[in-house]
Amino acid sequence: TSVSTPSIITASGALGITPASGSNLNVTLATTGDFAVNTNQLYVDTSTTRVGIGTASPSGKLHIYSAGGLNSGINLEATSSAAYAVIDFNTNAGLAGQFLATGSSFSNGIFTGDQLALANYLTNGSTTLVAGGSNGFINFATGGYLTGNERMRIDSTGRVGIMNTSPSALLTLGTAGTTAGTLSLAGSTS
């Protein structure tokens, strides 16, 4: 059935379209026509094959535009504590890697419960973490979100600080004024 009028307005309530059981609901648009829900809440640009959420001008295959903050990003949720939520990265060689979060009772090889992991599966692949700014650094923190929870830093010159946020040598352990600490080297030397 076709509708010749440019819009359908209901007297009250929502407009429902229910395809037969087991059938799809297909919306076919001309290459110059786009699909929009409330202007930009969901937008499909048919000429570029891009989808926008919160924008009518998507600049990537999926573009999410939001003011930020709580509940403004992408949420992947595993429904079982024995499962994991994952984003797959594929190349022409197949599955290249995954970013995954595991449920509390998940266990599969190196991946265990309550873990967030970035995995590279390519035979000759590497995983690179880059701080691209001229004064950029990479830091590692454990035990919470406070400034004092930073445990290690690699600064823009390549210096490494362990329990030190301003390393002054290739490897700096601890901070000035530290009165106690032990460096333990396990194993044997020849």
Side-chain angles (χ1 to χ4, degrees):
T1 306
S2 65
V3 178
S4 60
T5 58
S7 63
I8 300 172
I9 300 172
T10 61
S12 65
L15 172 65
I17 301 173
T18 307
S21 178
S23 298
N24 296 332
L25 173 62
N26 297 324
V27 177
T28 304
L29 302 169
T31 56
T32 57
D34 296 334
F35 178 76
V37 175
N38 293 331
T39 307
N40 68 358
Q41 286 180 336
L42 175 65
Y43 193 88
V44 178
D45 185 331
T46 60
S47 64
T48 62
T49 63
R50 295 177 179 167
V51 175
I53 298 174
T55 179
S57 302
S59 61
K61 287 295 183 185
L62 174 62
H63 181 164
I64 299 173
Y65 182 81
S66 130
L70 188 63
N71 300 322
S72 64
I74 298 172
N75 182 0
L76 298 175
E77 182 176 352
T79 58
S80 164
S81 64
Y84 63 95
V86 65
I87 298 173
D88 289 336
F89 299 95
N90 292 281
T91 67
N92 59 341
L95 181 62
Q98 294 178 317
F99 188 60
L100 59 106
T102 63
S104 59
S105 63
F106 181 82
S107 180
N108 185 357
I110 195 170
F111 302 116
T112 59
D114 293 332
Q115 188 176 34
L116 184 63
L118 177 61
N120 181 332
Y121 300 126
L122 297 174
T123 301
N124 296 311
S126 68
T127 301
T128 304
L129 185 61
V130 175
S134 60
N135 292 314
F137 60 89
I138 299 170
N139 64 344
F140 301 86
T142 60
Y145 303 103
L146 301 175
T147 303
N149 292 78
E150 183 175 321
R151 306 301 184 219
M152 185 173 80
R153 175 180 295 221
I154 304 170
D155 73 10
S156 61
T157 66
R159 295 177 181 152
V160 176
I162 298 176
M163 300 302 289
N164 187 302
T165 59
S166 300
S168 58
L170 189 58
L171 176 61
T172 303
L173 303 174
T175 58
T178 301
T179 57
T182 302
L183 177 62
S184 176
L185 301 174
S188 60
T189 60
S190 54

